[in-house]
Tab-separated table of all heavy atoms in Angstrom:
chain	number	residue	atom	x	y	z
A	106	SER	N	-2.816	5.947	-9.682
A	106	SER	CA	-1.397	6.154	-9.264
A	106	SER	C	-1.325	5.708	-7.810
A	106	SER	O	-2.327	5.623	-7.040
A	106	SER	CB	-1.001	7.560	-9.376
A	106	SER	OG	-1.772	8.401	-8.469
A	107	CYS	N	-0.089	5.423	-7.424
A	107	CYS	CA	0.235	5.102	-6.080
A	107	CYS	C	1.591	5.593	-5.610
A	107	CYS	O	2.591	5.201	-6.337
A	107	CYS	CB	0.111	3.577	-5.773
A	107	CYS	SG	-0.029	3.188	-4.003
A	108	ASP	N	1.644	6.382	-4.641
A	108	ASP	CA	2.954	6.902	-4.043
A	108	ASP	C	3.239	6.207	-2.831
A	108	ASP	O	2.437	6.074	-1.826
A	108	ASP	CB	2.888	8.391	-3.874
A	108	ASP	CG	2.613	9.212	-5.071
A	108	ASP	OD1	3.070	8.792	-6.113
A	108	ASP	OD2	1.878	10.265	-4.996
A	109	PHE	N	4.457	5.588	-2.797
A	109	PHE	CA	4.869	4.732	-1.615
A	109	PHE	C	6.016	5.351	-0.858
A	109	PHE	O	6.914	5.918	-1.499
A	109	PHE	CB	5.343	3.337	-2.142
A	109	PHE	CG	4.267	2.449	-2.787
A	109	PHE	CD1	4.023	2.452	-4.079
A	109	PHE	CD2	3.538	1.643	-1.964
A	109	PHE	CE1	3.170	1.672	-4.716
A	109	PHE	CE2	2.613	0.739	-2.530
A	109	PHE	CZ	2.434	0.757	-3.924
A	110	ALA	N	6.007	5.114	0.428
A	110	ALA	CA	7.222	5.308	1.217
A	110	ALA	C	7.601	3.901	1.743
A	110	ALA	O	6.794	3.292	2.437
A	110	ALA	CB	6.904	6.214	2.407
A	111	TRP	N	8.751	3.404	1.311
A	111	TRP	CA	9.220	2.059	1.675
A	111	TRP	C	10.231	2.102	2.687
A	111	TRP	O	11.272	2.941	2.675
A	111	TRP	CB	9.812	1.400	0.400
A	111	TRP	CG	8.852	1.070	-0.645
A	111	TRP	CD1	8.452	1.809	-1.739
A	111	TRP	CD2	8.112	-0.188	-0.771
A	111	TRP	NE1	7.555	1.126	-2.498
A	111	TRP	CE2	7.312	-0.084	-1.905
A	111	TRP	CE3	8.065	-1.346	-0.047
A	111	TRP	CZ2	6.488	-1.194	-2.364
A	111	TRP	CZ3	7.297	-2.409	-0.372
A	111	TRP	CH2	6.504	-2.338	-1.579
A	112	THR	N	10.142	1.200	3.673
A	112	THR	CA	11.133	1.030	4.719
A	112	THR	C	12.011	-0.207	4.342
A	112	THR	O	11.472	-1.286	3.986
A	112	THR	CB	10.509	0.841	6.067
A	112	THR	OG1	9.703	1.981	6.422
A	112	THR	CG2	11.569	0.583	7.178
A	113	LEU	N	13.225	-0.096	4.488
A	113	LEU	CA	14.238	-1.166	4.323
A	113	LEU	C	14.556	-1.846	5.667
A	113	LEU	O	14.924	-1.080	6.607
A	113	LEU	CB	15.481	-0.694	3.590
A	113	LEU	CG	16.491	-1.802	3.182
A	113	LEU	CD1	15.909	-2.722	2.152
A	113	LEU	CD2	17.716	-1.167	2.650
A	114	VAL	N	14.317	-3.159	5.776
A	114	VAL	CA	14.410	-3.798	7.103
A	114	VAL	C	15.556	-4.855	7.095
A	114	VAL	O	15.569	-5.654	6.127
A	114	VAL	CB	13.138	-4.371	7.540
A	114	VAL	CG1	13.256	-5.089	8.890
A	114	VAL	CG2	12.075	-3.295	7.590
A	115	ASP	N	16.411	-4.823	8.032
A	115	ASP	CA	17.377	-6.000	8.312
A	115	ASP	C	16.544	-7.087	8.917
A	115	ASP	O	16.147	-7.047	10.125
A	115	ASP	CB	18.468	-5.518	9.218
A	115	ASP	CG	19.358	-6.627	9.694
A	115	ASP	OD1	19.134	-7.794	9.396
A	115	ASP	OD2	20.360	-6.306	10.319
A	116	MET	N	16.215	-8.073	8.072
A	116	MET	CA	15.240	-9.104	8.543
A	116	MET	C	15.745	-10.052	9.610
A	116	MET	O	15.020	-10.610	10.425
A	116	MET	CB	14.813	-9.989	7.277
A	116	MET	CG	14.103	-9.168	6.288
A	116	MET	SD	12.533	-8.391	6.886
A	116	MET	CE	11.459	-9.762	7.060
A	117	GLU	N	17.097	-10.265	9.692
A	117	GLU	CA	17.686	-11.069	10.760
A	117	GLU	C	17.436	-10.507	12.082
A	117	GLU	O	17.287	-11.226	13.048
A	117	GLU	CB	19.144	-11.362	10.403
A	117	GLU	CG	19.411	-12.257	9.279
A	117	GLU	CD	20.814	-12.612	9.130
A	117	GLU	OE1	21.716	-11.841	9.549
A	117	GLU	OE2	21.146	-13.745	8.540
A	118	ASN	N	17.539	-9.191	12.199
A	118	ASN	CA	17.440	-8.478	13.500
A	118	ASN	C	16.147	-7.678	13.599
A	118	ASN	O	15.893	-6.977	14.596
A	118	ASN	CB	18.632	-7.503	13.659
A	118	ASN	CG	19.955	-8.243	13.632
A	118	ASN	OD1	20.209	-9.120	14.535
A	118	ASN	ND2	20.759	-7.992	12.685
A	119	ARG	N	15.294	-7.734	12.491
A	119	ARG	CA	13.987	-7.025	12.471
A	119	ARG	C	14.294	-5.562	12.808
A	119	ARG	O	13.607	-4.912	13.634
A	119	ARG	CB	12.988	-7.622	13.466
A	119	ARG	CG	11.560	-7.520	12.913
A	119	ARG	CD	11.247	-8.469	11.800
A	119	ARG	NE	9.885	-8.319	11.356
A	119	ARG	CZ	9.381	-9.084	10.396
A	119	ARG	NH1	10.149	-9.964	9.761
A	119	ARG	NH2	8.114	-9.025	10.043
A	120	ARG	N	15.333	-4.946	12.172
A	120	ARG	CA	15.711	-3.649	12.469
A	120	ARG	C	15.645	-2.700	11.206
A	120	ARG	O	15.987	-3.082	10.141
A	120	ARG	CB	17.238	-3.606	12.956
A	120	ARG	CG	17.803	-2.305	13.205
A	120	ARG	CD	19.211	-2.441	13.745
A	120	ARG	NE	20.087	-3.075	12.818
A	120	ARG	CZ	20.867	-2.356	11.995
A	120	ARG	NH1	20.773	-1.066	11.903
A	120	ARG	NH2	21.638	-2.970	11.184
A	121	ILE	N	14.976	-1.560	11.388
A	121	ILE	CA	14.820	-0.556	10.276
A	121	ILE	C	16.130	-0.010	9.938
A	121	ILE	O	16.870	0.452	10.758
A	121	ILE	CB	13.766	0.432	10.590
A	121	ILE	CG1	12.304	-0.160	10.737
A	121	ILE	CG2	13.752	1.488	9.538
A	121	ILE	CD1	11.310	0.761	11.187
A	122	LEU	N	16.471	0.022	8.650
A	122	LEU	CA	17.638	0.669	8.115
A	122	LEU	C	17.292	2.054	7.517
A	122	LEU	O	16.342	2.137	6.728
A	122	LEU	CB	18.292	-0.212	7.027
A	122	LEU	CG	18.629	-1.650	7.531
A	122	LEU	CD1	19.087	-2.476	6.281
A	122	LEU	CD2	19.704	-1.694	8.557
A	123	ARG	N	18.027	3.037	7.882
A	123	ARG	CA	17.709	4.334	7.365
A	123	ARG	C	18.180	4.493	5.880
A	123	ARG	O	19.399	4.236	5.575
A	123	ARG	CB	18.414	5.440	8.174
A	123	ARG	CG	17.755	5.647	9.597
A	123	ARG	CD	18.359	6.846	10.276
A	123	ARG	NE	18.179	8.075	9.531
A	123	ARG	CZ	17.104	8.836	9.561
A	123	ARG	NH1	16.127	8.481	10.222
A	123	ARG	NH2	17.087	9.940	8.884
A	124	ALA	N	17.265	4.837	5.091
A	124	ALA	CA	17.470	4.860	3.541
A	124	ALA	C	18.727	5.817	3.272
A	124	ALA	O	19.556	5.464	2.527
A	124	ALA	CB	16.245	5.321	2.782
A	125	LYS	N	18.730	7.039	3.886
A	125	LYS	CA	19.724	7.977	3.558
A	125	LYS	C	21.202	7.476	3.877
A	125	LYS	O	22.089	7.652	3.186
A	125	LYS	CB	19.468	9.300	4.301
A	125	LYS	CG	20.384	10.414	3.863
A	125	LYS	CD	20.061	11.724	4.555
A	125	LYS	CE	18.745	12.284	3.975
A	125	LYS	NZ	18.471	13.638	4.423
A	126	GLU	N	21.233	6.691	4.962
A	126	GLU	CA	22.590	6.144	5.424
A	126	GLU	C	22.930	4.980	4.475
A	126	GLU	O	24.148	4.806	4.115
A	126	GLU	CB	22.490	5.678	6.921
A	126	GLU	CG	22.298	6.905	7.822
A	126	GLU	CD	21.990	6.420	9.252
A	126	GLU	OE1	22.004	5.266	9.521
A	126	GLU	OE2	21.715	7.341	10.111
A	127	ILE	N	21.976	4.063	4.179
A	127	ILE	CA	22.313	2.890	3.375
A	127	ILE	C	22.674	3.409	1.932
A	127	ILE	O	23.651	2.907	1.343
A	127	ILE	CB	21.062	1.971	3.263
A	127	ILE	CG1	21.009	1.194	4.609
A	127	ILE	CG2	21.196	1.000	2.106
A	127	ILE	CD1	22.047	0.171	4.856
A	128	ASP	N	21.959	4.306	1.412
A	128	ASP	CA	22.169	4.782	0.022
A	128	ASP	C	23.480	5.326	-0.224
A	128	ASP	O	23.996	5.266	-1.367
A	128	ASP	CB	21.057	5.738	-0.379
A	128	ASP	CG	20.612	5.552	-1.862
A	128	ASP	OD1	19.962	4.545	-2.148
A	128	ASP	OD2	20.986	6.385	-2.658
A	129	ARG	N	24.117	5.967	0.746
A	129	ARG	CA	25.438	6.502	0.590
A	129	ARG	C	26.507	5.415	0.310
A	129	ARG	O	27.523	5.671	-0.304
A	129	ARG	CB	25.915	7.236	1.915
A	129	ARG	CG	25.155	8.527	2.225
A	129	ARG	CD	25.923	9.295	3.206
A	129	ARG	NE	25.086	10.370	3.840
A	129	ARG	CZ	24.520	10.350	5.032
A	129	ARG	NH1	24.695	9.192	5.760
A	129	ARG	NH2	23.805	11.274	5.504
A	130	GLN	N	26.157	4.174	0.688
A	130	GLN	CA	27.083	3.056	0.481
A	130	GLN	C	26.887	2.306	-0.858
A	130	GLN	O	27.617	1.398	-1.212
A	130	GLN	CB	26.998	2.058	1.640
A	130	GLN	CG	27.176	2.732	2.983
A	130	GLN	CD	26.888	1.703	4.152
A	130	GLN	OE1	27.527	0.700	4.207
A	130	GLN	NE2	25.981	2.102	5.041
A	131	LEU	N	25.823	2.711	-1.558
A	131	LEU	CA	25.474	2.029	-2.813
A	131	LEU	C	26.162	2.631	-4.005
A	131	LEU	O	26.266	3.858	-4.119
A	131	LEU	CB	23.973	2.030	-3.023
A	131	LEU	CG	23.143	1.526	-1.839
A	131	LEU	CD1	21.646	1.540	-2.309
A	131	LEU	CD2	23.505	0.119	-1.478
A	132	ASP	N	26.632	1.800	-4.871
A	132	ASP	CA	27.297	2.249	-6.099
A	132	ASP	C	26.260	2.272	-7.213
A	132	ASP	O	26.226	1.537	-8.155
A	132	ASP	CB	28.355	1.295	-6.491
A	132	ASP	CG	29.213	1.774	-7.724
A	132	ASP	OD1	29.161	2.922	-8.057
A	132	ASP	OD2	29.797	0.916	-8.454
A	133	LEU	N	25.273	3.287	-7.013
A	133	LEU	CA	24.169	3.484	-7.973
A	133	LEU	C	24.144	4.904	-8.427
A	133	LEU	O	24.731	5.806	-7.764
A	133	LEU	CB	22.893	3.055	-7.319
A	133	LEU	CG	22.732	1.644	-6.845
A	133	LEU	CD1	21.419	1.430	-6.122
A	133	LEU	CD2	22.757	0.696	-8.079
A	134	SER	N	23.387	5.185	-9.420
A	134	SER	CA	23.180	6.589	-9.826
A	134	SER	C	22.377	7.334	-8.692
A	134	SER	O	21.737	6.728	-7.867
A	134	SER	CB	22.263	6.633	-11.048
A	134	SER	OG	21.020	5.994	-10.847
A	135	ALA	N	22.494	8.632	-8.687
A	135	ALA	CA	21.988	9.397	-7.629
A	135	ALA	C	20.425	9.363	-7.679
A	135	ALA	O	19.845	9.275	-8.666
A	135	ALA	CB	22.405	10.983	-7.832
A	136	PRO	N	19.867	9.363	-6.431
A	136	PRO	CA	18.362	9.206	-6.407
A	136	PRO	C	17.720	10.530	-6.992
A	136	PRO	O	18.377	11.609	-7.038
A	136	PRO	CB	18.062	9.096	-4.918
A	136	PRO	CG	19.274	9.710	-4.228
A	136	PRO	CD	20.419	9.409	-5.141
A	137	ILE	N	16.542	10.391	-7.462
A	137	ILE	CA	15.808	11.570	-7.993
A	137	ILE	C	15.075	12.265	-6.816
A	137	ILE	O	15.102	11.747	-5.695
A	137	ILE	CB	14.792	11.153	-9.113
A	137	ILE	CG1	13.689	10.304	-8.525
A	137	ILE	CG2	15.529	10.477	-10.204
A	137	ILE	CD1	12.559	10.090	-9.484
A	138	GLU	N	14.445	13.376	-7.149
A	138	GLU	CA	13.706	14.184	-6.119
A	138	GLU	C	12.191	13.929	-6.381
A	138	GLU	O	11.692	14.177	-7.486
A	138	GLU	CB	14.010	15.677	-6.181
A	138	GLU	CG	15.433	16.013	-5.780
A	138	GLU	CD	15.641	15.723	-4.261
A	138	GLU	OE1	14.660	15.905	-3.496
A	138	GLU	OE2	16.819	15.490	-3.915
A	139	LEU	N	11.502	13.353	-5.417
A	139	LEU	CA	10.022	13.171	-5.468
A	139	LEU	C	9.442	13.796	-4.181
A	139	LEU	O	10.095	13.813	-3.137
A	139	LEU	CB	9.644	11.757	-5.509
A	139	LEU	CG	9.958	10.977	-6.808
A	139	LEU	CD1	9.626	9.464	-6.689
A	139	LEU	CD2	9.070	11.572	-7.965
A	140	PRO	N	8.209	14.286	-4.256
A	140	PRO	CA	7.579	14.770	-3.057
A	140	PRO	C	7.405	13.733	-1.947
A	140	PRO	O	7.292	12.478	-2.290
A	140	PRO	CB	6.087	15.212	-3.542
A	140	PRO	CG	6.319	15.417	-5.019
A	140	PRO	CD	7.281	14.382	-5.415
A	141	SER	N	7.439	14.094	-0.687
A	141	SER	CA	7.163	13.166	0.376
A	141	SER	C	5.735	12.564	0.291
A	141	SER	O	4.861	13.267	-0.165
A	141	SER	CB	7.337	13.853	1.731
A	141	SER	OG	8.700	14.349	1.859
A	142	VAL	N	5.609	11.400	0.714
A	142	VAL	CA	4.229	10.792	0.854
A	142	VAL	C	3.617	11.299	2.195
A	142	VAL	O	4.256	11.171	3.190
A	142	VAL	CB	4.350	9.206	0.895
A	142	VAL	CG1	2.937	8.607	0.982
A	142	VAL	CG2	5.069	8.726	-0.362
A	143	PRO	N	2.504	11.887	2.088
A	143	PRO	CA	1.974	12.615	3.323
A	143	PRO	C	1.749	11.659	4.477
A	143	PRO	O	1.420	10.451	4.329
A	143	PRO	CB	0.624	13.144	2.875
A	143	PRO	CG	0.260	12.426	1.586
A	143	PRO	CD	1.567	12.040	0.986
A	144	ARG	N	1.957	12.062	5.704
A	144	ARG	CA	1.736	11.361	6.920
A	144	ARG	C	0.271	11.370	7.298
A	144	ARG	O	-0.454	12.295	6.813
A	144	ARG	CB	2.554	11.954	8.073
A	144	ARG	CG	4.097	12.041	7.878
A	144	ARG	CD	4.690	10.729	7.592
A	144	ARG	NE	4.652	9.784	8.719
A	144	ARG	CZ	5.619	9.631	9.562
A	144	ARG	NH1	6.825	10.243	9.482
A	144	ARG	NH2	5.533	8.751	10.572
A	145	LEU	N	-0.172	10.437	8.005
A	145	LEU	CA	-1.616	10.286	8.293
A	145	LEU	C	-1.689	10.002	9.853
A	145	LEU	O	-1.391	8.901	10.265
A	145	LEU	CB	-2.266	9.131	7.557
A	145	LEU	CG	-3.738	9.011	7.576
A	145	LEU	CD1	-4.405	10.255	6.943
A	145	LEU	CD2	-4.216	7.790	6.742
A	146	PRO	N	-2.163	11.036	10.574
A	146	PRO	CA	-2.292	10.787	12.027
A	146	PRO	C	-3.437	9.893	12.400
A	146	PRO	O	-4.430	9.766	11.641
A	146	PRO	CB	-2.568	12.247	12.564
A	146	PRO	CG	-3.255	12.888	11.457
A	146	PRO	CD	-2.576	12.397	10.168
Side-chain angles (χ1 to χ4, degrees):
S106 67
C107 195
D108 297 325
F109 293 93
W111 289 92
T112 299
L113 186 62
V114 179
D115 175 350
M116 297 300 289
E117 289 187 333
N118 301 297
R119 213 72 178 182
R120 179 175 62 89
I121 293 175
L122 305 171
R123 289 186 59 83
K125 187 174 288 187
E126 295 170 4
I127 286 291
D128 214 73
R129 292 196 194 103
Q130 305 174 58
L131 304 183
D132 185 20
L133 298 173
S134 59
I137 66 170
E138 293 291 331
L139 288 174
S141 297
V142 180
R144 306 299 297 261
L145 192 61

